[in-house]
Amino acid sequence: MRKRNISIITRLNEKEKNHLATLVKRSGLSQEAYIRHLINGVVPKDSPPADYYAMMKELHAIGNNLNQLARKAHQLNVINVEQYDLAVKEFENAVTKITEAVILPKPMDK
């Protein structure tokens, strides 16, 4: 059974239909998902460039390598834990900000 079983018909002119189709295509969402985002008060962002996911994968690999190095350095007692923790937090914050800026939809202005 479908979660959404209510259908709403909306009439658009050719210009509005083309504009909606352009926005939907740029977002990478289905038309229905795009409209539901708008109804819920958020504007979907354009789909990220193709290399975005490759870059994020690389950043996550770097973070994983940092974690492995930290574990080994901690075992050998050759690391300043506070300084390392601060650097990792900065790295994680940077990844989060990039994700928010590129992927997450933004709330509509009220």
Side-chain angles (χ1 to χ4, degrees):
M1 177 126 189
R2 292 180 181 211
K3 282 173 105 176
R4 296 178 174 100
N5 56 3
I6 298 171
S7 177
I8 297 176
I9 297 174
T10 304
R11 303 202 185 279
L12 304 173
N13 63 31
E14 194 66 29
K15 183 179 176 184
E16 292 166 336
K17 178 186 128 280
N18 291 337
H19 183 63
L20 177 62
T22 300
L23 294 173
V24 166
K25 186 173 183 174
R26 286 187 355 207
S27 74
L29 299 170
S30 69
Q31 182 172 300
E32 293 81 5
Y34 189 90
I35 292 171
R36 279 194 296 272
H37 273 78
L38 295 175
I39 289 169
N40 289 317
V42 294
V43 179
K45 293 202 176 188
D46 291 351
S47 184
D51 57 350
Y52 165 78
Y53 294 103
M55 289 186 291
M56 290 306 291
K57 185 176 179 181
E58 188 67 30
L59 284 174
H60 286 292
I62 291 168
N64 189 36
N65 289 342
L66 285 173
N67 247 350
Q68 291 172 359
L69 288 169
R71 271 192 235 123
K72 188 65 170 177
H74 187 66
Q75 286 174 349
L76 300 173
N77 201 23
V78 292
I79 189 170
N80 180 333
V81 176
E82 293 84 21
Q83 189 176 12
Y84 173 79
D85 287 344
L86 181 63
V88 168
K89 273 192 175 146
E90 287 178 17
F91 174 79
E92 290 171 348
N93 286 340
V95 170
T96 300
K97 284 180 183 177
I98 290 168
T99 301
E100 288 172 354
V102 175
I103 294 209
L104 296 181
K106 64 178 182 176
M108 288 184 182
D109 295 331
K110 295 192 179 192

